[in-house]
Amino acid sequence: MHELPKTYDPQQVEKKWYDFWLARRYFHAEPNPKKKPYCIVIPPPNVTGSLHLGHAWDNANQDILIRYHRMAGYETLWLPGTDHAGIATQVKVEEQLAKEGKTRHDLGREKFLERVWAWKEEYGGRILNQLKRLGSSCDWDRARFTLDEGCSRAVREVFVRLYHKGLIYQGDRIINYCPKCHTTLSDIEVEHKEREGRLWRIRYPFKEGDEYIEVATTRPETMLGDTAVAVHPDDKRYTKFVGRTVILPLMNREIPIVADEYVDPQFGTGAVKVTPAHDPNDFEIGQRHGLPSILVIGTDGKMTAEAGRFAGMDRYAARKAVVEALKAEGFLVGEERHRHAVGQCYRCDTTVEPLLSKQWFVRMKPLAEPAIAAVREGRTRFVPKRFAKLYLHWMENIKDWCISRQLWWGHRIPVWYCQDCGEVVCQTTDPERCPKCGGTLEQDPDVLDTWFSSALWPFSTLGWPEKTPELAYFYPTSVLCTGFDIIYFWVARMMVMGLEFMGDVPFRDVFIHGLIRDAEGQKMSKSRGNVADPLEAIDQYGADALRFTLVTGVAPGYDQRFRTERIEAARNFANKLWNAARFALLNLEGFTAPAKEPTATDLQSLALTLPDRWILSRYTGVAQRVTQKLDRYDLGEAGKAVYDFLWNEFCDWYLELAKPRLYGKQGEEERRVAQTVLWYVLEGTLRLLHPFMPFITEEIWQSLPHCGEALIVAPWPKVPRALHDAAAEREMHLVTEVVRVVRNLRAEYRVEPGKAVPALVRGGKGALELLEDTRPLLLPLARLSDLALLPAGAPTPEQAVTAVAAGVEVFLPLAGLIDVARERERLEKETAAAAAEAERLQAKLADAGFVERAPAEVVQKERTKLAAAEERLTLVRARLSDLERLSGQGGA
C-alpha cells in the first residue's frame, strides 16, 4: 500500500501500466481446454489510417468486452491487425511519386510494389500504436496483416475453390469505374449524392418520313453509344412506333425502337435512349433485345474512337460539345433543371463512370442462402436486433460481387492465360508453364477487392487453411463489434465465407454501434472543420476519460454527439474517484487485505452498522446490474451504473457516514469494521470499473491492500446475494432523503454553509424510531443543531418552511434560518431588478423596426432572454410571497 499523489495525472500513469501489462503478457491467449474461449477479431483499420473517434469508440467497446471476459475467467483473445487497403495505400504512394515527377508506370509493377511495402513498413504500424494509447488489450503477438503470408495463402485457396465450383467467373458487365483512382468499384463502394443537373430533350428522327420520337437524358454525351430507343409496351403513345427505326443524331446510325417493361412512362417523355455499354439498366435491356454495346467513354474519362468527331475529349467537355452540336443541327428540343442522384467514388468523390468491362465476379445468391438462414435461425444474432432486417434485406436482394480491381497493390488474381493455346489456369501455386501445351503463361494483371481478404478475416487470422489449435478453439469467434455502415461491405461477406469454408458462422453475435457526430449533430468531416482528434483528447483528459465518454450516454446502435463538456465530466469523475481513493488510503492504515475474498458470512459476522449494511447491499445490486448490462451489450448503462454508485452513493454518502468510525472516534473495533467494508466495496467497485477505465483503476488498485498481482487479471466480482438487504436500503433511503430535503431548504433560503440550524420531523412511529437511532448521523450531515421528532397528527409548527421526504414532513423554523428583514429587503431588490430587465426586453421586442431589421437569430436570442427574465421574476415574487406568509403566521 502506498500513498497516491494529490492530483491524478494520466500521462504519468497510462504508459507505466500499459508497459506493465505488456511485459507480463496479460493480453496473450492460448488454446486452453480448462477455460471457455472468448474471441474478438478486430475490424482491421486501413494501414494508411490514423486513429479517429469512430475507431476509438469501436475499440473501446471491444476492449470493455475483452477485459470483462478476461476477468470473468475466459481464455480471452482479441486478435489485432491491419488491412492493406488497396486503393487508399496505392494512392498514398502514387502521391509520393508524383512529388518526384514519376508515376507507377515509370517504376514498373515490381519496383512499385517494393516502394509500397517500404511505405507500409515505415507508416503501417502507426494506427496500432495509437490503439495502444487508448488502452486496447489486444494480443499483439498475433497481429496480422491482410497481405501477410498466411492471409495471402488463405485468399488464394478461397479463390481457387470458388472458381472450380463455378462460383467465381469472368464476364462482361457494367461496372463502376473511378477515372481518378483508375479502378473498378463494387456497387456499395459508390456513394450516391443528390446534385442539381440538367435534363435535355432530344429529337430522334425516323428513318422514313418526317416524324420523330423525343427522348430525355441527363447525360447527352452517352447518346453517341446509343443502340436503341425503348418505350413501355403499354404506353399507347408509342405502340405504333415499336419495331420502327430512327436515325441517331450526330452519328447517323440506324437504331431500333424496342418495347421494354423497365421504361417508366412518367419519366421525361416516356421514351428513353438505350446505351448498353454505359448504364446497368440499359445493359439489361440490351441483353433482352440482343442489342450491341458501344463503348464511347474510356477508363480515362475521355471519349473513345467510337465517339466519332468527339473522340479524345474529356467526358464533360464532350457533354457541352454534344449539346451545342444538337442545338446547331436542330435536334435539341429543350433543357430544364433536374435534381438527381449521382454516383461518386467513396475514396475520392470523383463521379463514377458506368462502363462495360470484362471483370471477375463472385456468384453471390447460392452463397447468401446459408448466411440468410443462419441469422433467421438465430445462429448469429444482431444487437440491436433491428439491424438484422438491414442485413436480411441486403442478402435477399444481393447481386453478384465484382471482385477485380485495376490496381497493383493487393492480392493478385491467381489466374494465368496461356499465350500459345489460350488455356486458362487457376491454382494456388504459381505455374511455370502451361499444363496443356507447355507454353508461356501470363498472370491476370488485376488484384482482388480489398474486402475479399477482409471477408476471410475471422478464420484466416486463426491459421486456415491449416487445421490449427487456435482455429479449432477460438472459431467461431464470440462477437463482432462494428458500425452499421459496413454491414454490407464486411459483415455479410464474412458470414458468406465463414459458412462456405468453415461450415459455421464466423461469430455468434454482431454488436452494432452508430456514428459519432459533432455537438450539433453534424457528421464529422475535414471539410466542415468539426473533426475531434482522439489523441488530443487523450493528451488533455486521459484515455480513461475518453473511453468513458464514448461508451456512456448512448443506447446500443444509435449515433452519439461528441461534446467537450461530456469528456470534462468523465475527467471530473476520474478525479472524484482519485480523491475518494486517497481518502480511503489515508484511513486504511494498519489494514491488511484478507488472503481470499470475504464471503457473505465473513462480512455479516462483523458488527455492521446501518450504513455498512446499506452500502454492501447497494454494491451487490450494482455488481449484478453491471454484469447483466455487459452480457446484453448495454455498455453505456453498465458504465452509468458504476458511475452513479461511486459518485452518488459511495463517495457522497458512505464515506461521509463512515468518517467518525474511520477517524477512531467510536473505538478500534468499529474502525476495523468500517475499514473492512470500505476496502471491500472500493476494491470490488474498481474491478467493476476496470473494463471502462483501465488505467486509473489499476493505479488505485495497486495502491490498495490487495490479493493478486494485477487488477487486469483479478476475478470479476461475484457478489453473494446474501448481502442484499432490503431493510437497510429502505431505512437508509429515509435517512438520506431527510438530509437532502434539509440541504435543499438551506440552499433555497441561503443559509450560511457553516451555520447549524434546528429541524423538526413529523411522521409515523417506525420512521421516528429510525431517525432517533440515526440521530448521530443526521445532525452532522444536515448541519443541524437539534432534531425534534413529532408524532403523526401533532400540530404543524408555525413560521417554519417545510418539505416532504420519504413519507415524513421536515420543518425548519424560520427564526433559526434567516434574518427575515434582510431577506425581505434582498428579495424586493431582486424583484425590482428582474421586473426592470423584463420591461426593457419587452419594449425592445415591441419595436417593429428591431424585429424586422435584426437577424432572426438575434431576435430569437432576445426572446429567450425575456422568457428567462419573466421566469426569474415569477420565482422571486413567489419566494417573497412565501416569506410574507410565513413571517405573518402567529401574528408576527
Side-chain angles (χ1 to χ4, degrees):
M1 189 167 75
H2 63 267
E3 188 177 340
L4 293 172
K6 187 174 181 180
T7 57
Y8 176 58
D9 182 1
Q11 305 302 325
Q12 297 296 317
V13 167
E14 291 173 359
K15 186 177 187 307
K16 174 180 76 174
W17 290 117
Y18 202 86
D19 290 345
F20 172 84
W21 296 328
L22 282 175
R24 283 157 180 76
R25 304 189 77 222
Y26 291 138
F27 305 163
H28 186 66
E30 291 287 347
N32 183 349
K34 295 180 181 179
K35 288 185 176 183
K36 289 183 179 180
Y38 187 85
C39 178
I40 298 177
V41 290
I42 199 170
N46 287 352
V47 72
T48 57
S50 58
L51 192 68
H52 58 63
L53 280 176
H55 289 134
W57 185 13
D58 193 41
N59 284 276
N61 284 338
Q62 293 173 74
D63 196 42
I64 287 168
L65 294 171
I66 285 291
R67 287 177 183 271
Y68 162 54
H69 284 91
R70 186 184 290 123
M71 295 174 77
Y74 290 78
E75 187 66 22
T76 306
L77 171 62
W78 187 11
L79 201 152
T82 50
D83 193 290
H84 66 276
I87 296 174
T89 308
Q90 181 157 320
V91 166
K92 285 274 187 188
V93 178
E94 288 194 270
E95 286 172 353
Q96 281 188 348
L97 289 174
K99 292 175 183 176
E100 301 168 18
K102 299 177 183 176
T103 70
R104 60 180 162 127
H105 300 287
D106 294 328
L107 272 68
R109 188 165 191 146
E110 188 175 337
K111 292 292 183 184
F112 176 76
L113 290 177
E114 288 177 7
R115 183 76 176 255
V116 183
W117 276 107
W119 185 94
K120 185 263 177 186
E121 292 306 313
E122 185 172 355
Y123 299 105
R126 177 176 53 186
I127 194 164
L128 296 184
N129 289 327
Q130 291 170 341
L131 287 175
K132 292 176 183 178
R133 288 206 57 196
L134 188 67
S136 302
S137 57
C138 300
D139 187 346
W140 300 109
D141 298 340
R142 297 185 182 276
R144 300 299 300 270
F145 178 51
T146 51
L147 264 178
D148 68 25
E149 185 179 346
C151 288
S152 296
R153 183 184 170 199
V155 165
R156 277 205 173 184
E157 187 73 31
V158 166
F159 185 98
V160 171
R161 289 193 196 181
L162 291 176
Y163 175 85
H164 288 298
K165 284 183 73 172
L167 293 173
I168 283 182
Y169 66 93
Q170 196 176 30
D172 290 318
R173 294 286 187 280
I174 293 289
I175 51 90
N176 308 295
Y177 196 87
C178 176
K180 184 174 180 181
C181 294
H182 302 294
T183 189
T184 305
L185 303 172
S186 68
D187 289 343
I188 52 178
E189 291 172 314
V190 178
E191 296 178 345
H192 293 276
K193 297 184 179 178
E194 286 286 321
R195 279 192 188 171
E196 199 66 48
R198 312 292 291 179
L199 185 69
W200 287 271
R201 297 194 310 280
I202 307 168
R203 182 181 291 133
Y204 283 35
F206 283 99
K207 178 182 177 183
E208 299 167 347
D210 298 327
E211 292 180 292
Y212 61 86
I213 191 167
E214 189 180 307
V215 302
T217 181
T218 58
R219 302 193 63 205
E221 70 278 13
T222 63
M223 66 164 289
L224 306 174
D226 285 0
T227 56
V229 171
V231 296
H232 195 279
D234 298 332
D235 192 336
K236 294 178 180 178
R237 293 173 295 173
Y238 300 117
T239 306
K240 62 182 179 180
F241 297 141
V242 175
R244 292 185 62 182
T245 302
V246 294
I247 304 298
L248 180 63
L250 309 185
M251 300 301 286
N252 205 32
R253 184 165 62 240
E254 295 182 7
I255 59 176
I257 297 177
V258 298
D260 196 282
E261 291 187 348
Y262 167 75
V263 179
D264 178 5
Q266 305 303 316
F267 177 75
T269 64
V272 298
K273 55 189 283 305
V274 181
T275 320
H278 292 284
D279 183 276
N281 298 308
D282 290 6
F283 177 79
E284 296 298 331
I285 293 173
Q287 293 289 296
R288 287 193 287 271
H289 297 277
L291 302 174
S293 298
I294 302 174
L295 196 72
V296 293
I297 303 175
T299 56
D300 56 359
K302 294 182 179 180
M303 308 306 288
T304 69
E306 295 286 358
R309 57 179 140 154
F310 304 98
M313 287 187 180
D314 174 80
R315 52 183 170 162
Y316 296 116
R319 176 178 298 178
K320 187 176 180 181
V322 166
V323 170
E324 289 300 321
L326 289 170
K327 190 182 298 182
E329 297 181 30
F331 295 113
L332 187 66
V333 178
E335 63 180 273
E336 59 193 64
R337 294 174 67 179
H338 178 67
R339 191 164 182 81
H340 62 128
V342 176
Q344 294 181 186
C345 174
Y346 79 113
R347 281 284 171 202
C348 68
D349 292 335
T350 300
T351 298
V352 166
E353 193 61 54
L355 300 175
L356 184 64
S357 176
K358 188 179 287 294
Q359 300 289 338
W360 288 95
F361 295 85
V362 177
R363 207 178 303 278
M364 292 299 290
K365 279 209 175 291
L367 291 168
E369 288 169 5
I372 291 169
V375 170
R376 288 201 180 283
E377 294 165 8
R379 284 179 281 141
T380 289
R381 180 175 64 120
F382 278 80
V383 181
K385 62 182 180 182
R386 68 178 183 274
F387 289 104
K389 293 180 181 177
L390 292 179
Y391 166 89
L392 290 170
H393 178 76
W394 171 258
M395 295 294 268
E396 286 163 356
N397 296 278
I398 201 160
K399 296 179 181 178
D400 287 355
W401 173 16
C402 179
I403 55 171
S404 45
R405 299 290 182 270
Q406 290 67 56
L407 302 169
W408 288 355
W409 174 247
H411 295 278
R412 196 165 176 181
I413 288 174
V415 172
W416 291 261
Y417 308 100
C418 180
Q419 302 304 293
D420 298 321
C421 71
E423 179 74 358
V424 178
V425 180
C426 178
Q427 59 186 55
T428 55
T429 56
D430 291 7
E432 294 182 3
R433 311 291 295 177
C434 174
K436 187 174 182 180
C437 72
T440 304
L441 294 171
E442 188 172 306
Q443 189 173 359
D444 194 300
D446 288 353
V447 299
L448 289 165
D449 178 6
T450 299
W451 293 102
F452 191 92
S453 51
S454 301
L456 319 183
W457 191 247
F459 56 92
S460 66
T461 52
L462 293 171
W464 189 91
E466 296 297 324
K467 294 181 179 179
T468 64
E470 288 81 1
L471 190 63
Y473 183 72
F474 288 113
Y475 190 94
T477 66
S478 306
V479 60
L480 175 75
C481 300
T482 190
F484 69 82
D485 51 331
I486 55 173
I487 289 175
Y488 311 142
F489 279 101
W490 194 40
V491 179
R493 290 165 177 171
M494 283 190 287
M495 287 289 289
V496 160
M497 294 300 188
L499 286 159
E500 173 69 16
F501 292 98
M502 291 296 298
D504 202 349
V505 295
F507 21 72
R508 297 302 183 199
D509 292 332
V510 182
F511 175 34
I512 299 292
H513 61 76
L515 301 177
I516 293 191
R517 301 183 180 276
D518 69 9
E520 306 304 318
Q522 298 291 317
K523 188 174 181 179
M524 290 188 178
S525 68
K526 290 180 181 177
S527 60
R528 284 197 182 102
N530 62 350
V531 176
D533 185 344
L535 295 175
E536 288 180 4
I538 290 172
D539 289 338
Q540 187 172 357
Y541 301 103
D544 286 331
L546 177 63
R547 289 166 62 112
F548 199 77
T549 300
L550 293 174
V551 300
T552 55
V554 60
Y558 286 93
D559 294 353
Q560 67 165 299
R561 297 186 181 191
F562 187 78
R563 296 184 176 94
T564 303
E565 53 265 33
R566 288 189 60 229
I567 193 168
E568 287 173 348
R571 189 262 319 274
N572 294 342
F573 174 52
N575 290 338
K576 181 88 167 180
L577 172 62
W578 186 260
N579 291 332
R582 291 186 74 246
F583 171 82
L585 284 168
L586 289 171
N587 289 280
L588 286 175
E589 187 177 344
F591 177 81
T592 303
K596 61 179 183 177
E597 187 171 353
T599 64
T601 303
D602 294 334
L603 291 165
Q604 289 167 338
S605 68
L606 302 173
L608 299 174
T609 64
L610 172 61
D612 293 334
R613 290 164 44 223
W614 170 73
I615 199 66
L616 288 169
S617 182
R618 298 300 294 160
Y619 169 61
T620 300
V622 77
Q624 290 171 352
R625 180 172 173 79
V626 171
T627 303
Q628 288 170 355
K629 292 297 182 182
L630 287 175
D631 286 341
R632 295 171 187 170
Y633 299 105
D634 197 347
L635 310 190
E637 283 298 304
K640 183 177 181 296
V642 187
Y643 175 99
D644 289 343
F645 173 76
L646 264 172
W647 191 299
N648 299 329
E649 296 179 332
F650 181 74
C651 294
D652 284 0
W653 289 105
Y654 183 72
L655 293 185
E656 294 299 319
L657 292 163
K659 278 179 180 178
R661 290 183 298 147
L662 290 170
Y663 294 163
K665 294 179 179 179
Q666 297 177 8
E668 189 54 37
E669 179 60 24
E670 288 78 2
R671 180 171 182 266
R672 186 181 68 81
V673 172
Q675 284 182 325
T676 302
V677 175
L678 171 65
W679 167 82
Y680 177 80
V681 174
L682 177 58
E683 192 273 345
T685 309
L686 289 172
R687 283 188 272 162
L688 294 177
L689 185 60
H690 177 75
F692 302 88
M693 304 178 86
F695 294 111
I696 190 172
T697 51
E698 186 76 74
E699 175 75 6
I700 293 171
W701 189 87
Q702 294 284 354
S703 303
L704 285 173
H706 59 266
C707 304
E709 60 183 37
L711 177 58
I712 189 175
V713 289
W716 186 254
K718 294 181 179 177
V719 184
R721 290 183 179 274
L723 289 177
H724 177 65
D725 191 330
E729 293 198 25
R730 187 171 57 252
E731 291 166 4
M732 272 301 295
H733 176 66
L734 174 61
V735 172
T736 56
E737 281 302 295
V738 168
V739 172
R740 274 198 191 97
V741 161
V742 173
R743 288 174 174 175
N744 289 343
L745 289 172
R746 290 174 62 101
E748 190 175 334
Y749 285 90
R750 301 193 176 193
V751 179
E752 295 174 12
K755 182 179 180 180
V757 297
L760 303 93
V761 176
R762 181 169 63 186
K765 182 181 178 183
L768 295 184
E769 287 176 351
L770 174 62
L771 293 175
E772 180 61 41
D773 291 342
T774 55
R775 180 184 293 269
L777 302 176
L778 282 165
L779 295 181
L781 284 174
R783 294 286 177 134
L784 297 177
S785 58
D786 186 33
L787 176 64
L789 302 175
L790 308 176
T796 300
E798 295 182 346
Q799 291 187 308
V801 293
T802 183
V804 176
V808 300
E809 296 171 279
V810 178
F811 302 91
L812 296 188
L814 207 60
L817 210 59
I818 55 173
D819 183 321
V820 174
R822 286 181 62 184
E823 181 65 6
R824 181 186 292 115
E825 182 182 356
R826 185 188 70 78
L827 288 173
E828 286 172 347
K829 285 181 180 178
E830 195 171 337
T831 300
E837 175 68 0
E839 190 175 331
R840 183 187 69 79
L841 291 165
Q842 284 168 350
K844 190 173 184 179
L845 289 165
D847 180 355
F850 167 74
V851 174
E852 289 170 7
R853 289 193 304 271
E857 61 268 22
V858 173
V859 175
Q860 183 57 46
K861 190 175 181 181
E862 294 302 296
R863 285 178 176 146
T864 303
K865 284 182 184 177
L866 175 60
E870 289 175 336
E871 183 181 6
R872 178 168 158 244
L873 181 60
T874 301
L875 289 172
V876 176
R877 281 174 173 166
R879 183 71 51 78
L880 186 57
S881 176
D882 285 346
L883 184 68
E884 297 295 352
R885 177 180 55 78
L886 290 168
S887 61
Q889 284 179 353

